[in-house]
Amino acid sequence: MVFILSSFIALLTLAWGLAASVDGGGGASLPWLIREQALYLSGVLGIGLMSLAMVLATRPAALERPLGGMDRIFRLHKWAGILAAVFAALHWLIEMSDDLLESAFGKTGQVPEAHFGALLENLRDAGEELGEFAIYLVLGMIILSLWKRFPYKFWRYLHRAMPVLYLLLAFHAAVLAPPDYWARPIGWLMGGLLAAGAAASVLALTGRIGRDRRVSGVVSSVASPAPDITEVTCRLDAGWKGHRAGQFAFIGFDRIEGAHPFTIASADRGDQTVTFEIKALGDYTRRLATRVAVGQPVTVEGPYGRFVLERQDRNARQIWIAGGIGITPFLSWLDALRAAPDSAAQAELHYSTRNASHDPFVERLQRLCGRLPSVELHIHDTSAGATLTPEQLAASLPQAGRTEVWFCGPRPFGDQLEAGLAAIWGRRLRFRREAFEMR
């Protein structure tokens, strides 16, 4: 992710630099010239990154392979949006700095004001007003996105306003960009990004995101294996093309509420059925058990993701680690391996749970792994003090060669394991994880 964003920012900066190098500045003094070019650069970076975020918000399945999965696309979308807001805020601050420069250097040496026809002048005035208004709202949206205590159900509705705000900012960028930009690489690049971002906004506003991967179905069973777990099985229409073990999908029970992403916890048996194990982690999921009934219509969009069994490195030791509801992709893996137990790779499966005696997945894991001799199950009951640590894993494989760790669970837990194992095993470690954060 860091490489992609850095490369994207570098490309935009290079295009701006090429344009700035041929701009004589019209006799402006250095402080005012620096302000003008900083204003342009911050604007280019802000709207460029926001265009990227808008395109990634359309859930482009074609980019899953090069970008590593839809979970990473969501993470890239999030950070592109955050950086866009940072540069937008910087752009606004630079715009407001004219009074400070006047007090320090006087009005002498200001960049000569360009004059345009009446129509373009009116458009530029409108673009400036709308852009300032949209920047305030975008900054507020980013703050709410980062404030985890802000209820997700409200955040989702506010987030739907982003395409409109983007279109306002795209208009601002198009009419206020220097006219000579459009005859240079910076203009060609910005034109393409603005067109792509506008198209993505239209897709979002018309409800067409993911439509070609969306199928209808009905709820065939609902169960509560534990007070905070709702198990929902859906029978889907013929449009469902199946899934690979470990993928996720967006499931919607209510048109107003919209769809939410959950990992598919069952293998693809070719019978158009999918099962989800949904943990009560918020208002929506806590009420789900009482709001879903057998026979209820459902829509499922997907599948997405590359946290899949087929991507294992057969020449590396396999360690699978799950924390809490992060066990769901591994349930799907084990379910898929039941059909061909002899093909299962040697693996250690570590499941960390808060209370093993009350965890409905423990017995299921024991049953599934009992039929797969090559998968060695380890249950870590944190209520009994059995916390999984990097040192424990390293001690169990003192002579480890190349090792591939697959992790799904709470991010702090994953960060601790990844950092600890990397320090012990170094380049012998490949740590794969599901970056499953939708906000």
Side-chain angles (χ1 to χ4, degrees), residues 40 44 116 124 171-182 190 194:
Y40 291 154
V44 166
F116 306 93
R124 287 172 65 88
F171 174 69
H172 170 89
V175 298
L176 291 176
D180 56 355
Y181 267 20
W182 304 111
M190 292 304 301
L194 291 174

Side-chain angles (χ1 to χ4, degrees), residues 168-224:
L168 295 178
L169 290 170
F171 174 69
H172 170 89
V175 298
L176 291 176
D180 56 355
Y181 267 20
W182 304 111
R184 298 174 182 170
I186 181 66
W188 308 336
L189 177 58
M190 292 304 301
L193 289 171
L194 291 174
S201 298
V202 171
L203 286 176
L205 291 171
T206 55
R208 297 176 62 188
I209 292 178
R211 190 172 68 175
D212 59 341
R213 299 173 71 89
R214 195 180 305 152
V215 299
S216 301
V218 296
V219 175
S220 58
S221 72
V222 181
S224 294

Side-chain angles (χ1 to χ4, degrees), residues 213 232-234 236 240-251 260-269 272-278 300-305 307-308 325-336 364 408 434 436:
R213 299 173 71 89
V232 181
T233 299
C234 306
L236 305 179
W240 181 253
K241 304 301 182 184
H243 69 280
R244 292 184 291 169
Q247 291 189 299
F248 68 91
F250 289 82
I251 181 169
H260 292 253
F262 299 106
T263 299
I264 302 171
S266 58
D268 184 14
R269 303 183 184 90
Q272 308 297 112
T273 65
V274 289
T275 298
F276 300 91
E277 303 285 353
I278 302 171
V300 175
E301 177 198 327
Y304 295 109
F307 195 87
V308 293
I325 200 61
I327 193 61
T328 49
F330 298 108
L331 290 175
S332 183
W333 284 19
L334 297 172
D335 197 19
R364 184 173 170 184
C408 186
E434 185 85 293
F436 204 76

Side-chain angles (χ1 to χ4, degrees), residues 11-32:
L11 176 63
L12 292 172
T13 304
L14 176 62
W16 162 82
L18 291 174
S21 66
V22 296
D23 187 355
S29 63
L30 184 60
W32 289 102

Side-chain angles (χ1 to χ4, degrees), residues 307-358:
F307 195 87
V308 293
L309 194 59
E310 294 89 337
R311 295 185 65 208
Q312 291 180 55
D313 182 352
R314 291 281 179 168
N315 296 317
R317 292 175 182 262
Q318 291 292 311
I319 298 179
W320 307 342
I321 305 173
I325 200 61
I327 193 61
T328 49
F330 298 108
L331 290 175
S332 183
W333 284 19
L334 297 172
D335 197 19
L337 289 172
R338 285 196 309 168
D342 294 338
S343 66
Q346 292 287 333
E348 290 185 12
L349 172 57
H350 295 263
Y351 176 45
S352 181
T353 175
R354 290 182 178 179
N355 193 324
S357 61
H358 293 88

Side-chain angles (χ1 to χ4, degrees), residues 1-10 49 52 56 66-68 76:
M1 182 189 70
V2 174
F3 173 77
I4 294 172
L5 287 176
S6 299
S7 299
F8 188 76
I9 290 172
L49 285 161
L52 175 63
L56 295 176
L67 295 183
L76 185 61

Side-chain angles (χ1 to χ4, degrees), residues 395-408:
S396 68
L397 295 170
Q399 302 299 323
R402 192 161 77 233
T403 303
E404 188 173 58
V405 175
W406 293 79
F407 173 86
C408 186

Side-chain angles (χ1 to χ4, degrees), residues 39-40 43-44 47 91 114-132 166-182 187 190-191 194:
L39 190 67
Y40 291 154
V44 166
I47 196 64
H91 181 75
H115 296 282
F116 306 93
L119 176 60
L120 186 53
E121 284 288 359
N122 289 334
L123 288 175
R124 287 172 65 88
D125 289 342
E128 188 169 0
E129 294 293 330
L130 291 173
E132 185 175 353
Y166 173 82
L167 291 174
L168 295 178
L169 290 170
F171 174 69
H172 170 89
V175 298
L176 291 176
D180 56 355
Y181 267 20
W182 304 111
M190 292 304 301
L194 291 174

